[in-house]
Structures are given as C-alpha cells and as structure tokens.
C-alpha cells in the first residue's frame, strides 16, 4: 500500500470535557452538520463515557462515528467503575482509544493494554493504540521505547487481527497544555517507519502492514494536519484540545479532506 492511500481518519478525544452535557450535545450537532461536505474523511468523536449515549443520538444518521476513550480489560469480573467492550458495542461505539499516555501515567501497563485490544477486537470495535516517548533523546532511545510499547501491547494479538488496529503516535512532550512544540514532519515519518517495521517483523509480513497510523500532540490548525499527513505519512490525526469546539475542529477536517485521495 502506498502511504496516504486510504481515507483519512480524524479522531477527536474530548478527554474529561466538556463540563456539561448540553455543551457536548452542541459540539456533536455542529460537527454532524459541518462535516457533510468532507466525504473523504472519517470523523470519530470520543466523548466521556457519560456523554456517549446522548452524543450518539445527536450524530445519528450521519457519517460521524462514536469512539470510547478507554475500556475494561475483561468482561468477566465484577469491576466497579469500569465499562466493558460489550457495553460499548450496545452504544454503537466503533472505535476505542487504548493506552493513552494520560492513562499509562496512572499505571496502565502494556500487558493490560494488550488485554483491552483483544477484548475490543473480539467485539468488532477498532482499537486506537497510543504509543509515544516522553523525551526525544539524542541517542535514539525513544525509538526503543516505541518499539517496546508496540511489541508488548500486541501480545496475544494474532496476525489476522493486527492490521485492524489503528496506531496513534503521541509523543508525550507534544501533548496538552505543557507541550513543548508539535512534532516535525521528519520526526513523525521516522516513527511511522518504525511502527510499520516492528509490526512487519513481529508478524513476518512480506508486505507493508496496512494499519492506519495517526499523529497526536497539539494538532491545532490545518498546517499541523498537513505536516502529519503529507510530510509525516500519517493516515490522520488524534486531536485533544482543538476538538472541543466545532470552530477549531472543522478546519482540521477540511484540511484532512483536502489531502485525502
Ligand atoms: P492535544 O491532545 O491535542 O490537546 O495535545 C492530544 C491527545 O492527548 O490525544
């Protein structure tokens, strides 16, 4: 596959926002209306769990899809406060973020992440697996960090399922309010190569693995989308802060759509 050959995927991670349901409904309605003309881009909204059902209603009968931000690692135990893959399926959730650095920071391990990937795939929900280094050191240790995260997180995932997983490259130093800067095109492209090579290696693929790869970390304007997709060879972006209003999110979709083949 040539890179960028597929439609572009723009995933909007609202995190613990917005504060009120009415605001969530407003963003969802505006996104539904605004994306109509951007037919080559798949938009996925990932609201907090409590807003999934009302947001689902707002985006019904549109091309906007629903995503979760997390999921339990099993469906079998009594787990206070957790949400299972089956429960997400009932809400028509099609994608689910797994292993975001903000969750890894609270102790989520690659092995738990692997169990989550497995549980989601079994329920036909596409996992969006986040990987990313906290620092870019000069010796290139960060490449080993990405590779190790990927290898361990894919434990137990078989060859016929692995290419369904979307991988999001999210350098921790580029995420959120404290971000140093956005990643440069060549930095993003380097990781895309490492991700594809690692998967190829692990599974003995003779062709380039078909996984969609996204870039996330301070994507805030159309230029950032262009950097990720054109220079970085990404299949789309995972966006946090700029996804919290249609006014900032729609120009990103517009840019992605312009670049989609
Ligand atoms: P940001 O967050 O766009 O606000 O940097 C990205 C993310 O955490 O996925």
């Amino acid at each position: 596959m040539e890179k960028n050959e597929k439609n572009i995927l723009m995933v909007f991670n609202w995190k613990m926002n917005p504060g009120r349901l009415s605001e969530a409904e407003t963003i969802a309605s505006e996104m539904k209306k605004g994306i109509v003309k951007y037919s080559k881009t798949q938009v996925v909204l990932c609201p907090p769990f409590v807003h999934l059902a009302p947001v689902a209603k707002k985006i019904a009968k549109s091309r906007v899809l629903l995503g979760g931000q997390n999921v339990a690692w099993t469906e079998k135990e009594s787990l206070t406060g957790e949400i299972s893959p089956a429960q997400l399926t009932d809400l028509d959730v099609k994608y689910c973020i797994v292993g975001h650095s903000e969750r890894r920071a609270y102790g989520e391990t690659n092995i738990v992440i692997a169990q989550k990937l497995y549980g989601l795939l079994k329920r036909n929900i596409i996992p969006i697996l986040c990987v990313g280094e906290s620092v870019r050191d000069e010796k290139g240790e960060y490449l080993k960090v990405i590779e190790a995260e990927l290898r361990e997180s894919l434990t137990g995932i078989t060859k016929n399922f692995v290419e369904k997983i979307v991988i999001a490259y999210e350098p921790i130093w580029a995420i959120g309010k404290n971000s140093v800067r956005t990643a440069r095109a060549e930095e993003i492209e380097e990781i895309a190569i490492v991700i594809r090579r690692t998967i190829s290696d692990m599974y003995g693929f003779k062709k380039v693995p078909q996984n969609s790869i996204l870039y996330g970390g301070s994507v805030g304007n159309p230029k950032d989308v262009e950097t990720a997709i054109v220079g970085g060879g990404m299949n789309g972006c995972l966006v946090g802060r700029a996804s919290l209003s249609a006014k900032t999110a729609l120009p990103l979709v517009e840019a992605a759509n312009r670049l989609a083949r």
Side-chain angles (χ1 to χ4, degrees):
M1 188 196 72
E2 288 285 317
K3 57 190 181 183
N4 299 342
E5 205 175 67
K6 314 180 185 177
N7 284 359
I8 301 290
L9 183 59
M10 294 295 284
V11 181
F12 293 133
N13 176 14
W14 292 358
K15 307 191 179 180
M16 204 168 67
N17 303 294
R20 307 311 300 256
L21 172 60
S22 58
E23 297 169 66
E25 290 177 323
T26 304
I27 307 170
S29 301
E30 288 177 3
M31 290 303 288
K32 173 180 170 174
K33 218 161 68 201
I35 61 118
V36 171
K37 46 188 186 279
Y38 306 131
S39 63
K40 287 185 282 184
T41 303
Q42 179 60 64
V43 171
V44 180
L45 300 182
C46 303
F49 284 138
V50 288
H51 294 162
L52 280 171
V55 166
K57 266 197 197 148
K58 290 288 170 193
I59 59 175
K61 300 201 180 78
S62 79
R63 286 190 314 96
V64 183
L65 295 178
L66 205 55
Q69 296 179 14
N70 183 33
V71 69
W73 58 94
T74 174
E75 293 188 1
K76 294 208 182 106
E77 292 165 38
S78 301
L79 285 173
T80 303
E82 292 288 339
I83 309 285
S84 74
Q87 289 168 325
L88 292 181
T89 311
D90 281 344
L91 291 173
D92 218 20
V93 165
K94 301 292 189 209
Y95 287 82
C96 186
I97 298 168
V98 180
H100 191 284
S101 57
E102 287 159 8
R103 297 205 59 84
R104 290 177 186 266
Y106 286 96
E108 187 161 291
T109 63
N110 290 321
I111 293 308
V112 168
I113 289 166
Q115 290 170 318
K116 293 184 177 192
L117 297 182
Y118 181 76
L120 290 168
L121 289 166
K122 240 175 50 184
R123 292 283 176 190
N124 248 335
I125 298 173
I126 300 174
I128 301 168
L129 166 64
C130 300
V131 294
E133 76 284 0
S134 49
V135 281
R136 266 212 175 215
D137 60 302
E138 277 172 16
K139 287 197 196 134
E141 290 296 318
Y142 63 93
L143 296 172
K144 292 188 195 146
V145 171
I146 308 278
E147 190 175 333
E149 279 187 342
L150 210 50
R151 282 184 182 273
E152 284 179 33
S153 302
L154 293 176
T155 304
I157 305 297
T158 54
K159 192 171 182 174
N160 47 336
F161 278 114
V162 70
E163 287 172 291
K164 293 187 196 302
I165 300 173
V166 175
I167 317 278
Y169 170 50
E170 294 224 314
I172 297 168
W173 49 265
I175 292 176
K177 290 201 289 295
N178 301 324
S179 106
V180 187
R181 60 176 174 83
T182 51
R184 288 189 280 272
E186 62 276 14
E187 292 172 326
I188 298 172
E189 192 180 27
E190 179 186 37
I191 303 300
I193 294 166
V194 169
I195 290 172
R196 293 199 195 282
R197 201 178 46 210
T198 303
I199 295 176
S200 244
D201 248 35
M202 283 179 75
Y203 291 89
F205 282 128
K206 296 211 169 58
K207 56 177 177 65
V208 178
Q210 304 284 299
N211 302 71
S212 284
I213 307 182
L214 311 180
Y215 168 75
S218 294
V219 173
N221 59 56
K223 191 92 195 77
D224 298 334
V225 175
E226 199 177 315
T227 301
I229 294 173
V230 180
M234 296 277 122
N235 304 104
C237 298
L238 176 53
V239 183
R241 283 158 295 162
S243 70
L244 292 173
S245 98
K247 209 166 142 211
T248 45
L250 285 171
L252 307 180
V253 181
E254 196 277 330
N257 204 66
R258 197 167 12 91
L259 302 167
R261 297 201 181 156

